[in-house]
Amino acid sequence: GVSSAASDVYKRQEDHGWGAAADGMAAVTAVMRAHQILLTRVEKVLKPFGLTFARFELLALLSFTGSGALPMAKAGARLQVHPTSVTSAVDRLEQAGLAARKRHPTDGRTVLVEITDAGRELVPVAAEALNSEVFSRPGFSRDDLAALTEILTRFRQDAGDFVGAGS
């Protein structure tokens, strides 16, 4: 059930003109704040490695490919981020010596991003830090984790978030 503190918040929101939108506003606000809290925790763990979560995700994706390289557009599609975000992440990873751009061997118009040996070495170390410091104890009970994952997965599916993710 809803705690009395949360009920008080809903009541105040209704009193301030939110009306029928109060529950939706409270849920959206809670998700957005939870995102900020979790991202702050993740970024704090990755900072000593010189990584952001976006750059870690890209490195991890590259480390999982057979060749260690993907076309930049495909990397963006798999990570579901805007091409500008991929370009920025690759720029920073290149500066750090963790990834490099190269021309596709058979399609000169396609630019590949490839993980370097240093990037390959960093991924498992950073992943272990995330696992031990954030993912193994994210701040939710096991039951809440299952319910939360189910709810958010359904929301993302309904929003079309998974379309093209496997390409």
Side-chain angles (χ1 to χ4, degrees):
V2 176
S3 71
S4 63
S7 294
D8 291 346
V9 170
Y10 293 146
K11 179 68 178 130
R12 283 196 305 273
Q13 290 163 349
E14 288 174 11
D15 290 346
H16 289 97
W18 295 106
D23 288 349
M25 194 269 310
V28 169
T29 301
V31 168
M32 292 174 73
R33 183 63 188 130
H35 169 265
Q36 292 171 337
I37 292 166
L38 294 170
L39 187 59
T40 297
R41 290 178 186 170
V42 166
E43 300 281 351
K44 181 179 177 187
V45 170
L46 292 174
K47 188 173 184 170
F49 301 106
L51 295 174
T52 61
F53 191 58
R55 294 196 294 265
F56 171 77
E57 280 189 305
L58 179 55
L59 277 182
L61 173 65
L62 294 173
S63 76
F64 298 147
T65 66
S67 67
L70 280 174
M72 288 190 43
K74 184 170 270 194
R78 289 206 180 151
L79 294 173
Q80 298 173 293
V81 296
H82 192 274
T84 305
S85 298
V86 175
T87 299
S88 175
V90 172
D91 287 347
R92 297 299 298 271
L93 291 171
E94 272 192 312
Q95 291 166 9
L98 301 172
R101 285 178 176 85
K102 69 177 199 176
R103 287 277 165 212
H104 191 285
T106 58
D107 180 358
R109 296 168 300 159
T110 299
V111 176
L112 300 175
V113 57
E114 182 175 44
I115 193 168
T116 64
D117 289 342
R120 279 196 190 278
E121 291 172 13
L122 185 59
V123 168
V125 176
E128 176 53 35
L130 284 172
N131 287 341
S132 67
E133 297 179 43
V134 180
F135 299 151
S136 65
R137 43 192 164 94
F140 301 97
S141 72
R142 190 173 296 281
D143 288 345
D144 284 349
L145 282 173
L148 187 59
T149 301
E150 180 184 330
I151 291 165
L152 294 176
T153 298
R154 192 170 52 244
F155 172 81
R156 292 177 63 202
Q157 287 170 334
D158 291 347
D161 193 36
F162 293 109
V163 174
S167 59

